[in-house]
PDB file of all heavy atoms in Angstrom:
ATOM      1  N   SER A 155       0.961  13.646  -8.400  1.00 98.00           N
ATOM      2  CA  SER A 155       0.092  12.587  -7.896  1.00 98.00           C
ATOM      3  C   SER A 155       0.946  11.443  -7.356  1.00 98.00           C
ATOM      4  O   SER A 155       2.153  11.403  -7.610  1.00 98.00           O
ATOM      5  CB  SER A 155      -0.801  12.078  -9.060  1.00 98.00           C
ATOM      6  OG  SER A 155       0.022  11.445 -10.052  1.00 98.00           O
ATOM      7  N   ILE A 156       0.275  10.544  -6.602  1.00 98.00           N
ATOM      8  CA  ILE A 156       0.967   9.328  -6.140  1.00 98.00           C
ATOM      9  C   ILE A 156       0.053   8.181  -6.431  1.00 98.00           C
ATOM     10  O   ILE A 156      -1.168   8.314  -6.577  1.00 98.00           O
ATOM     11  CB  ILE A 156       1.337   9.370  -4.662  1.00 98.00           C
ATOM     12  CG1 ILE A 156       0.063   9.429  -3.753  1.00 98.00           C
ATOM     13  CG2 ILE A 156       2.269  10.523  -4.382  1.00 98.00           C
ATOM     14  CD1 ILE A 156       0.360   9.135  -2.280  1.00 98.00           C
ATOM     15  N   GLU A 157       0.637   6.938  -6.501  1.00 98.00           N
ATOM     16  CA  GLU A 157      -0.119   5.752  -6.624  1.00 98.00           C
ATOM     17  C   GLU A 157       0.548   4.647  -5.852  1.00 98.00           C
ATOM     18  O   GLU A 157       1.767   4.647  -5.634  1.00 98.00           O
ATOM     19  CB  GLU A 157      -0.308   5.352  -8.118  1.00 98.00           C
ATOM     20  CG  GLU A 157       0.886   4.765  -8.750  1.00 98.00           C
ATOM     21  CD  GLU A 157       0.621   4.203 -10.157  1.00 98.00           C
ATOM     22  OE1 GLU A 157      -0.454   3.548 -10.311  1.00 98.00           O
ATOM     23  OE2 GLU A 157       1.442   4.410 -11.014  1.00 98.00           O
ATOM     24  N   ILE A 158      -0.267   3.734  -5.413  1.00 98.00           N
ATOM     25  CA  ILE A 158       0.308   2.482  -4.752  1.00 98.00           C
ATOM     26  C   ILE A 158       0.429   1.466  -5.836  1.00 98.00           C
ATOM     27  O   ILE A 158      -0.547   1.141  -6.550  1.00 98.00           O
ATOM     28  CB  ILE A 158      -0.656   2.010  -3.654  1.00 98.00           C
ATOM     29  CG1 ILE A 158      -0.778   3.122  -2.548  1.00 98.00           C
ATOM     30  CG2 ILE A 158      -0.170   0.731  -3.059  1.00 98.00           C
ATOM     31  CD1 ILE A 158      -1.787   2.763  -1.467  1.00 98.00           C
ATOM     32  N   SER A 159       1.660   0.999  -5.997  1.00 98.00           N
ATOM     33  CA  SER A 159       1.849  -0.054  -7.085  1.00 98.00           C
ATOM     34  C   SER A 159       2.371  -1.336  -6.514  1.00 98.00           C
ATOM     35  O   SER A 159       2.728  -1.400  -5.330  1.00 98.00           O
ATOM     36  CB  SER A 159       2.813   0.496  -8.123  1.00 98.00           C
ATOM     37  OG  SER A 159       4.139   0.648  -7.522  1.00 98.00           O
ATOM     38  N   GLY A 160       2.414  -2.333  -7.331  1.00 97.00           N
ATOM     39  CA  GLY A 160       2.868  -3.646  -6.917  1.00 97.00           C
ATOM     40  C   GLY A 160       1.728  -4.560  -6.526  1.00 97.00           C
ATOM     41  O   GLY A 160       0.538  -4.195  -6.606  1.00 97.00           O
ATOM     42  N   THR A 161       2.070  -5.757  -6.084  1.00 96.00           N
ATOM     43  CA  THR A 161       1.113  -6.769  -5.702  1.00 96.00           C
ATOM     44  C   THR A 161       1.497  -7.258  -4.265  1.00 96.00           C
ATOM     45  O   THR A 161       2.697  -7.567  -4.074  1.00 96.00           O
ATOM     46  CB  THR A 161       1.169  -7.963  -6.690  1.00 96.00           C
ATOM     47  OG1 THR A 161       0.890  -7.478  -7.970  1.00 96.00           O
ATOM     48  CG2 THR A 161       0.170  -9.039  -6.282  1.00 96.00           C
ATOM     49  N   PRO A 162       0.600  -7.324  -3.366  1.00 96.00           N
ATOM     50  CA  PRO A 162       0.971  -7.799  -2.023  1.00 96.00           C
ATOM     51  C   PRO A 162       1.488  -9.246  -2.111  1.00 96.00           C
ATOM     52  O   PRO A 162       1.050 -10.037  -2.908  1.00 96.00           O
ATOM     53  CB  PRO A 162      -0.370  -7.742  -1.256  1.00 96.00           C
ATOM     54  CG  PRO A 162      -1.307  -6.959  -2.030  1.00 96.00           C
ATOM     55  CD  PRO A 162      -0.787  -6.995  -3.434  1.00 96.00           C
ATOM     56  N   THR A 163       2.526  -9.474  -1.278  1.00 97.00           N
ATOM     57  CA  THR A 163       3.087 -10.823  -1.219  1.00 97.00           C
ATOM     58  C   THR A 163       2.177 -11.828  -0.534  1.00 97.00           C
ATOM     59  O   THR A 163       2.298 -13.006  -0.720  1.00 97.00           O
ATOM     60  CB  THR A 163       4.454 -10.805  -0.534  1.00 97.00           C
ATOM     61  OG1 THR A 163       4.311 -10.259   0.745  1.00 97.00           O
ATOM     62  CG2 THR A 163       5.497  -9.991  -1.299  1.00 97.00           C
ATOM     63  N   LYS A 164       1.188 -11.330   0.226  1.00 96.00           N
ATOM     64  CA  LYS A 164       0.264 -12.157   0.930  1.00 96.00           C
ATOM     65  C   LYS A 164      -1.165 -11.717   0.701  1.00 96.00           C
ATOM     66  O   LYS A 164      -1.453 -10.548   0.878  1.00 96.00           O
ATOM     67  CB  LYS A 164       0.589 -12.179   2.433  1.00 96.00           C
ATOM     68  CG  LYS A 164      -0.272 -13.087   3.250  1.00 96.00           C
ATOM     69  CD  LYS A 164       0.221 -13.129   4.690  1.00 96.00           C
ATOM     70  CE  LYS A 164      -0.647 -14.096   5.459  1.00 96.00           C
ATOM     71  NZ  LYS A 164      -0.176 -14.417   6.762  1.00 96.00           N
ATOM     72  N   THR A 165      -2.024 -12.647   0.281  1.00 97.00           N
ATOM     73  CA  THR A 165      -3.465 -12.291   0.107  1.00 97.00           C
ATOM     74  C   THR A 165      -4.355 -13.274   0.854  1.00 97.00           C
ATOM     75  O   THR A 165      -5.578 -13.099   0.812  1.00 97.00           O
ATOM     76  CB  THR A 165      -3.839 -12.221  -1.381  1.00 97.00           C
ATOM     77  OG1 THR A 165      -3.520 -13.462  -1.976  1.00 97.00           O
ATOM     78  CG2 THR A 165      -3.107 -11.068  -2.051  1.00 97.00           C
ATOM     79  N   SER A 166      -3.798 -14.317   1.432  1.00 97.00           N
ATOM     80  CA  SER A 166      -4.546 -15.360   2.182  1.00 97.00           C
ATOM     81  C   SER A 166      -4.199 -15.182   3.631  1.00 97.00           C
ATOM     82  O   SER A 166      -3.048 -15.241   4.016  1.00 97.00           O
ATOM     83  CB  SER A 166      -4.292 -16.714   1.712  1.00 97.00           C
ATOM     84  OG  SER A 166      -4.727 -16.875   0.372  1.00 97.00           O
ATOM     85  N   TYR A 167      -5.262 -15.038   4.476  1.00 97.00           N
ATOM     86  CA  TYR A 167      -5.045 -14.773   5.917  1.00 97.00           C
ATOM     87  C   TYR A 167      -5.901 -15.717   6.745  1.00 97.00           C
ATOM     88  O   TYR A 167      -6.954 -16.167   6.260  1.00 97.00           O
ATOM     89  CB  TYR A 167      -5.386 -13.365   6.236  1.00 97.00           C
ATOM     90  CG  TYR A 167      -4.474 -12.311   5.639  1.00 97.00           C
ATOM     91  CD1 TYR A 167      -4.750 -11.837   4.332  1.00 97.00           C
ATOM     92  CD2 TYR A 167      -3.358 -11.841   6.254  1.00 97.00           C
ATOM     93  CE1 TYR A 167      -3.902 -10.886   3.741  1.00 97.00           C
ATOM     94  CE2 TYR A 167      -2.544 -10.905   5.682  1.00 97.00           C
ATOM     95  CZ  TYR A 167      -2.827 -10.405   4.430  1.00 97.00           C
ATOM     96  OH  TYR A 167      -2.009  -9.530   3.832  1.00 97.00           O
ATOM     97  N   TYR A 168      -5.474 -15.861   7.988  1.00 96.00           N
ATOM     98  CA  TYR A 168      -6.350 -16.548   8.969  1.00 96.00           C
ATOM     99  C   TYR A 168      -6.972 -15.466   9.792  1.00 96.00           C
ATOM    100  O   TYR A 168      -6.448 -14.322   9.928  1.00 96.00           O
ATOM    101  CB  TYR A 168      -5.533 -17.484   9.901  1.00 96.00           C
ATOM    102  CG  TYR A 168      -4.993 -18.671   9.240  1.00 96.00           C
ATOM    103  CD1 TYR A 168      -3.639 -18.934   9.148  1.00 96.00           C
ATOM    104  CD2 TYR A 168      -5.873 -19.615   8.661  1.00 96.00           C
ATOM    105  CE1 TYR A 168      -3.140 -20.077   8.497  1.00 96.00           C
ATOM    106  CE2 TYR A 168      -5.395 -20.766   7.992  1.00 96.00           C
ATOM    107  CZ  TYR A 168      -4.033 -20.967   7.936  1.00 96.00           C
ATOM    108  OH  TYR A 168      -3.519 -22.082   7.307  1.00 96.00           O
ATOM    109  N   VAL A 169      -8.165 -15.738  10.364  1.00 96.00           N
ATOM    110  CA  VAL A 169      -8.895 -14.817  11.204  1.00 96.00           C
ATOM    111  C   VAL A 169      -7.949 -14.272  12.337  1.00 96.00           C
ATOM    112  O   VAL A 169      -7.231 -15.055  12.949  1.00 96.00           O
ATOM    113  CB  VAL A 169     -10.139 -15.457  11.843  1.00 96.00           C
ATOM    114  CG1 VAL A 169     -10.770 -14.542  12.900  1.00 96.00           C
ATOM    115  CG2 VAL A 169     -11.169 -15.848  10.753  1.00 96.00           C
ATOM    116  N   GLY A 170      -7.920 -12.952  12.442  1.00 96.00           N
ATOM    117  CA  GLY A 170      -7.108 -12.343  13.490  1.00 96.00           C
ATOM    118  C   GLY A 170      -5.705 -11.958  13.097  1.00 96.00           C
ATOM    119  O   GLY A 170      -5.015 -11.220  13.796  1.00 96.00           O
ATOM    120  N   GLU A 171      -5.280 -12.368  11.901  1.00 96.00           N
ATOM    121  CA  GLU A 171      -3.983 -11.963  11.384  1.00 96.00           C
ATOM    122  C   GLU A 171      -3.996 -10.491  10.984  1.00 96.00           C
ATOM    123  O   GLU A 171      -5.036 -10.012  10.503  1.00 96.00           O
ATOM    124  CB  GLU A 171      -3.513 -12.814  10.197  1.00 96.00           C
ATOM    125  CG  GLU A 171      -2.947 -14.141  10.520  1.00 96.00           C
ATOM    126  CD  GLU A 171      -2.345 -14.783   9.280  1.00 96.00           C
ATOM    127  OE1 GLU A 171      -3.130 -15.145   8.381  1.00 96.00           O
ATOM    128  OE2 GLU A 171      -1.083 -14.910   9.232  1.00 96.00           O
ATOM    129  N   SER A 172      -2.885  -9.822  11.105  1.00 97.00           N
ATOM    130  CA  SER A 172      -2.778  -8.420  10.603  1.00 97.00           C
ATOM    131  C   SER A 172      -2.582  -8.416   9.141  1.00 97.00           C
ATOM    132  O   SER A 172      -1.769  -9.197   8.579  1.00 97.00           O
ATOM    133  CB  SER A 172      -1.580  -7.697  11.327  1.00 97.00           C
ATOM    134  OG  SER A 172      -1.853  -7.639  12.688  1.00 97.00           O
ATOM    135  N   TYR A 173      -3.223  -7.520   8.447  1.00 97.00           N
ATOM    136  CA  TYR A 173      -2.963  -7.343   7.004  1.00 97.00           C
ATOM    137  C   TYR A 173      -1.621  -6.766   6.767  1.00 97.00           C
ATOM    138  O   TYR A 173      -1.147  -5.884   7.550  1.00 97.00           O
ATOM    139  CB  TYR A 173      -4.062  -6.472   6.374  1.00 97.00           C
ATOM    140  CG  TYR A 173      -5.419  -7.150   6.239  1.00 97.00           C
ATOM    141  CD1 TYR A 173      -6.514  -6.752   6.991  1.00 97.00           C
ATOM    142  CD2 TYR A 173      -5.555  -8.225   5.369  1.00 97.00           C
ATOM    143  CE1 TYR A 173      -7.690  -7.365   6.892  1.00 97.00           C
ATOM    144  CE2 TYR A 173      -6.784  -8.868   5.266  1.00 97.00           C
ATOM    145  CZ  TYR A 173      -7.853  -8.468   5.963  1.00 97.00           C
ATOM    146  OH  TYR A 173      -9.073  -9.114   5.850  1.00 97.00           O
ATOM    147  N   SER A 174      -0.954  -7.243   5.698  1.00 97.00           N
ATOM    148  CA  SER A 174       0.421  -6.790   5.377  1.00 97.00           C
ATOM    149  C   SER A 174       0.482  -6.063   4.018  1.00 97.00           C
ATOM    150  O   SER A 174      -0.092  -6.529   3.014  1.00 97.00           O
ATOM    151  CB  SER A 174       1.310  -8.060   5.315  1.00 97.00           C
ATOM    152  OG  SER A 174       2.591  -7.656   4.848  1.00 97.00           O
ATOM    153  N   ALA A 175       1.210  -4.951   4.008  1.00 97.00           N
ATOM    154  CA  ALA A 175       1.382  -4.245   2.771  1.00 97.00           C
ATOM    155  C   ALA A 175       2.720  -4.599   2.016  1.00 97.00           C
ATOM    156  O   ALA A 175       3.126  -3.972   1.084  1.00 97.00           O
ATOM    157  CB  ALA A 175       1.426  -2.713   3.055  1.00 97.00           C
ATOM    158  N   ALA A 176       3.402  -5.672   2.538  1.00 97.00           N
ATOM    159  CA  ALA A 176       4.631  -6.114   1.910  1.00 97.00           C
ATOM    160  C   ALA A 176       4.334  -6.353   0.416  1.00 97.00           C
ATOM    161  O   ALA A 176       3.341  -7.031   0.057  1.00 97.00           O
ATOM    162  CB  ALA A 176       5.079  -7.394   2.598  1.00 97.00           C
ATOM    163  N   GLY A 177       5.237  -5.903  -0.463  1.00 98.00           N
ATOM    164  CA  GLY A 177       5.086  -6.062  -1.862  1.00 98.00           C
ATOM    165  C   GLY A 177       4.523  -4.797  -2.583  1.00 98.00           C
ATOM    166  O   GLY A 177       4.593  -4.695  -3.740  1.00 98.00           O
ATOM    167  N   LEU A 178       3.912  -3.885  -1.774  1.00 98.00           N
ATOM    168  CA  LEU A 178       3.408  -2.656  -2.280  1.00 98.00           C
ATOM    169  C   LEU A 178       4.385  -1.541  -2.092  1.00 98.00           C
ATOM    170  O   LEU A 178       5.212  -1.545  -1.191  1.00 98.00           O
ATOM    171  CB  LEU A 178       2.111  -2.288  -1.589  1.00 98.00           C
ATOM    172  CG  LEU A 178       0.917  -3.292  -1.676  1.00 98.00           C
ATOM    173  CD1 LEU A 178      -0.282  -2.846  -0.869  1.00 98.00           C
ATOM    174  CD2 LEU A 178       0.525  -3.485  -3.115  1.00 98.00           C
ATOM    175  N   SER A 179       4.378  -0.577  -3.011  1.00 98.00           N
ATOM    176  CA  SER A 179       5.215   0.614  -2.904  1.00 98.00           C
ATOM    177  C   SER A 179       4.466   1.838  -3.373  1.00 98.00           C
ATOM    178  O   SER A 179       3.437   1.693  -3.985  1.00 98.00           O
ATOM    179  CB  SER A 179       6.515   0.435  -3.703  1.00 98.00           C
ATOM    180  OG  SER A 179       6.205   0.282  -5.058  1.00 98.00           O
ATOM    181  N   VAL A 180       4.950   2.985  -2.975  1.00 98.00           N
ATOM    182  CA  VAL A 180       4.369   4.257  -3.381  1.00 98.00           C
ATOM    183  C   VAL A 180       5.228   4.929  -4.435  1.00 98.00           C
ATOM    184  O   VAL A 180       6.386   5.124  -4.251  1.00 98.00           O
ATOM    185  CB  VAL A 180       4.170   5.232  -2.148  1.00 98.00           C
ATOM    186  CG1 VAL A 180       3.530   6.545  -2.588  1.00 98.00           C
ATOM    187  CG2 VAL A 180       3.276   4.537  -1.114  1.00 98.00           C
ATOM    188  N   VAL A 181       4.620   5.295  -5.570  1.00 98.00           N
ATOM    189  CA  VAL A 181       5.293   5.973  -6.650  1.00 98.00           C
ATOM    190  C   VAL A 181       4.676   7.322  -6.838  1.00 98.00           C
ATOM    191  O   VAL A 181       3.486   7.520  -6.966  1.00 98.00           O
ATOM    192  CB  VAL A 181       5.180   5.125  -7.994  1.00 98.00           C
ATOM    193  CG1 VAL A 181       5.857   5.890  -9.117  1.00 98.00           C
ATOM    194  CG2 VAL A 181       5.780   3.703  -7.838  1.00 98.00           C
ATOM    195  N   ALA A 182       5.553   8.329  -6.837  1.00 98.00           N
ATOM    196  CA  ALA A 182       5.147   9.719  -7.022  1.00 98.00           C
ATOM    197  C   ALA A 182       5.381  10.114  -8.470  1.00 98.00           C
ATOM    198  O   ALA A 182       6.416   9.740  -9.044  1.00 98.00           O
ATOM    199  CB  ALA A 182       5.960  10.668  -6.116  1.00 98.00           C
ATOM    200  N   THR A 183       4.501  10.868  -9.043  1.00 98.00           N
ATOM    201  CA  THR A 183       4.613  11.487 -10.354  1.00 98.00           C
ATOM    202  C   THR A 183       4.744  12.957 -10.108  1.00 98.00           C
ATOM    203  O   THR A 183       3.933  13.565  -9.415  1.00 98.00           O
ATOM    204  CB  THR A 183       3.423  11.201 -11.295  1.00 98.00           C
ATOM    205  OG1 THR A 183       3.310   9.811 -11.455  1.00 98.00           O
ATOM    206  CG2 THR A 183       3.592  11.854 -12.655  1.00 98.00           C
ATOM    207  N   TYR A 184       5.770  13.578 -10.717  1.00 97.00           N
ATOM    208  CA  TYR A 184       6.076  15.003 -10.475  1.00 97.00           C
ATOM    209  C   TYR A 184       5.537  15.874 -11.612  1.00 97.00           C
ATOM    210  O   TYR A 184       5.198  15.313 -12.637  1.00 97.00           O
ATOM    211  CB  TYR A 184       7.605  15.164 -10.316  1.00 97.00           C
ATOM    212  CG  TYR A 184       8.118  14.512  -9.055  1.00 97.00           C
ATOM    213  CD1 TYR A 184       8.644  13.137  -9.223  1.00 97.00           C
ATOM    214  CD2 TYR A 184       8.110  15.060  -7.887  1.00 97.00           C
ATOM    215  CE1 TYR A 184       9.076  12.523  -8.036  1.00 97.00           C
ATOM    216  CE2 TYR A 184       8.541  14.425  -6.719  1.00 97.00           C
ATOM    217  CZ  TYR A 184       8.994  13.152  -6.831  1.00 97.00           C
ATOM    218  OH  TYR A 184       9.490  12.532  -5.690  1.00 97.00           O
ATOM    219  N   THR A 185       5.523  17.142 -11.424  1.00 95.00           N
ATOM    220  CA  THR A 185       4.983  18.101 -12.417  1.00 95.00           C
ATOM    221  C   THR A 185       5.725  18.010 -13.738  1.00 95.00           C
ATOM    222  O   THR A 185       5.248  18.423 -14.803  1.00 95.00           O
ATOM    223  CB  THR A 185       4.966  19.561 -11.859  1.00 95.00           C
ATOM    224  OG1 THR A 185       6.313  19.824 -11.343  1.00 95.00           O
ATOM    225  CG2 THR A 185       3.927  19.678 -10.791  1.00 95.00           C
ATOM    226  N   ASP A 186       6.995  17.524 -13.742  1.00 95.00           N
ATOM    227  CA  ASP A 186       7.756  17.382 -14.970  1.00 95.00           C
ATOM    228  C   ASP A 186       7.579  16.014 -15.591  1.00 95.00           C
ATOM    229  O   ASP A 186       8.243  15.575 -16.493  1.00 95.00           O
ATOM    230  CB  ASP A 186       9.259  17.679 -14.764  1.00 95.00           C
ATOM    231  CG  ASP A 186       9.958  16.707 -13.874  1.00 95.00           C
ATOM    232  OD1 ASP A 186       9.248  15.806 -13.315  1.00 95.00           O
ATOM    233  OD2 ASP A 186      11.190  16.824 -13.662  1.00 95.00           O
ATOM    234  N   ASP A 187       6.573  15.243 -15.078  1.00 95.00           N
ATOM    235  CA  ASP A 187       6.201  13.899 -15.524  1.00 95.00           C
ATOM    236  C   ASP A 187       7.239  12.820 -15.235  1.00 95.00           C
ATOM    237  O   ASP A 187       7.172  11.715 -15.765  1.00 95.00           O
ATOM    238  CB  ASP A 187       5.780  13.831 -17.036  1.00 95.00           C
ATOM    239  CG  ASP A 187       4.487  14.591 -17.209  1.00 95.00           C
ATOM    240  OD1 ASP A 187       3.617  14.533 -16.351  1.00 95.00           O
ATOM    241  OD2 ASP A 187       4.279  15.225 -18.278  1.00 95.00           O
ATOM    242  N   THR A 188       8.189  13.122 -14.402  1.00 96.00           N
ATOM    243  CA  THR A 188       9.138  12.064 -13.955  1.00 96.00           C
ATOM    244  C   THR A 188       8.493  11.358 -12.783  1.00 96.00           C
ATOM    245  O   THR A 188       7.543  11.809 -12.149  1.00 96.00           O
ATOM    246  CB  THR A 188      10.499  12.621 -13.512  1.00 96.00           C
ATOM    247  OG1 THR A 188      10.277  13.546 -12.495  1.00 96.00           O
ATOM    248  CG2 THR A 188      11.224  13.268 -14.663  1.00 96.00           C
ATOM    249  N   THR A 189       8.934  10.131 -12.513  1.00 97.00           N
ATOM    250  CA  THR A 189       8.412   9.303 -11.398  1.00 97.00           C
ATOM    251  C   THR A 189       9.506   8.789 -10.528  1.00 97.00           C
ATOM    252  O   THR A 189      10.657   8.612 -11.031  1.00 97.00           O
ATOM    253  CB  THR A 189       7.548   8.148 -11.909  1.00 97.00           C
ATOM    254  OG1 THR A 189       8.350   7.255 -12.674  1.00 97.00           O
ATOM    255  CG2 THR A 189       6.334   8.586 -12.704  1.00 97.00           C
ATOM    256  N   SER A 190       9.176   8.584  -9.294  1.00 97.00           N
ATOM    257  CA  SER A 190      10.128   7.860  -8.440  1.00 97.00           C
ATOM    258  C   SER A 190       9.394   7.180  -7.279  1.00 97.00           C
ATOM    259  O   SER A 190       8.330   7.579  -6.890  1.00 97.00           O
ATOM    260  CB  SER A 190      11.189   8.811  -7.878  1.00 97.00           C
ATOM    261  OG  SER A 190      10.626   9.685  -6.969  1.00 97.00           O
ATOM    262  N   THR A 191       9.978   6.112  -6.847  1.00 97.00           N
ATOM    263  CA  THR A 191       9.465   5.450  -5.686  1.00 97.00           C
ATOM    264  C   THR A 191       9.809   6.264  -4.428  1.00 97.00           C
ATOM    265  O   THR A 191      10.927   6.679  -4.288  1.00 97.00           O
ATOM    266  CB  THR A 191      10.045   4.006  -5.514  1.00 97.00           C
ATOM    267  OG1 THR A 191       9.729   3.296  -6.718  1.00 97.00           O
ATOM    268  CG2 THR A 191       9.477   3.261  -4.300  1.00 97.00           C
ATOM    269  N   VAL A 192       8.839   6.509  -3.554  1.00 97.00           N
ATOM    270  CA  VAL A 192       9.075   7.357  -2.394  1.00 97.00           C
ATOM    271  C   VAL A 192       8.735   6.580  -1.116  1.00 97.00           C
ATOM    272  O   VAL A 192       8.072   5.552  -1.143  1.00 97.00           O
ATOM    273  CB  VAL A 192       8.173   8.655  -2.467  1.00 97.00           C
ATOM    274  CG1 VAL A 192       8.563   9.548  -3.647  1.00 97.00           C
ATOM    275  CG2 VAL A 192       6.697   8.274  -2.536  1.00 97.00           C
ATOM    276  N   SER A 193       9.286   7.080  -0.069  1.00 97.00           N
ATOM    277  CA  SER A 193       9.113   6.431   1.255  1.00 97.00           C
ATOM    278  C   SER A 193       7.822   6.973   1.914  1.00 97.00           C
ATOM    279  O   SER A 193       7.752   8.147   2.254  1.00 97.00           O
ATOM    280  CB  SER A 193      10.257   6.683   2.152  1.00 97.00           C
ATOM    281  OG  SER A 193      10.127   6.084   3.403  1.00 97.00           O
ATOM    282  N   ALA A 194       6.807   6.172   2.026  1.00 97.00           N
ATOM    283  CA  ALA A 194       5.553   6.532   2.665  1.00 97.00           C
ATOM    284  C   ALA A 194       4.983   5.255   3.341  1.00 97.00           C
ATOM    285  O   ALA A 194       5.106   4.167   2.833  1.00 97.00           O
ATOM    286  CB  ALA A 194       4.558   7.064   1.608  1.00 97.00           C
ATOM    287  N   THR A 195       4.282   5.452   4.408  1.00 97.00           N
ATOM    288  CA  THR A 195       3.637   4.385   5.101  1.00 97.00           C
ATOM    289  C   THR A 195       2.365   3.950   4.384  1.00 97.00           C
ATOM    290  O   THR A 195       1.569   4.813   4.025  1.00 97.00           O
ATOM    291  CB  THR A 195       3.273   4.764   6.570  1.00 97.00           C
ATOM    292  OG1 THR A 195       4.537   5.149   7.240  1.00 97.00           O
ATOM    293  CG2 THR A 195       2.588   3.610   7.289  1.00 97.00           C
TER     294      THR A 195
END
Side-chain angles (χ1 to χ4, degrees):
S155 64
I156 65 168
E157 73 172 320
I158 299 174
S159 66
T161 303
T163 55
K164 183 173 182 171
T165 57
S166 296
Y167 295 87
Y168 290 120
V169 171
E171 279 189 291
S172 295
Y173 286 113
S174 172
L178 299 176
S179 61
V180 178
V181 176
T183 300
Y184 297 91
T185 50
D186 65 356
D187 291 327
T188 59
T189 61
S190 69
T191 301
V192 295
S193 179
T195 301

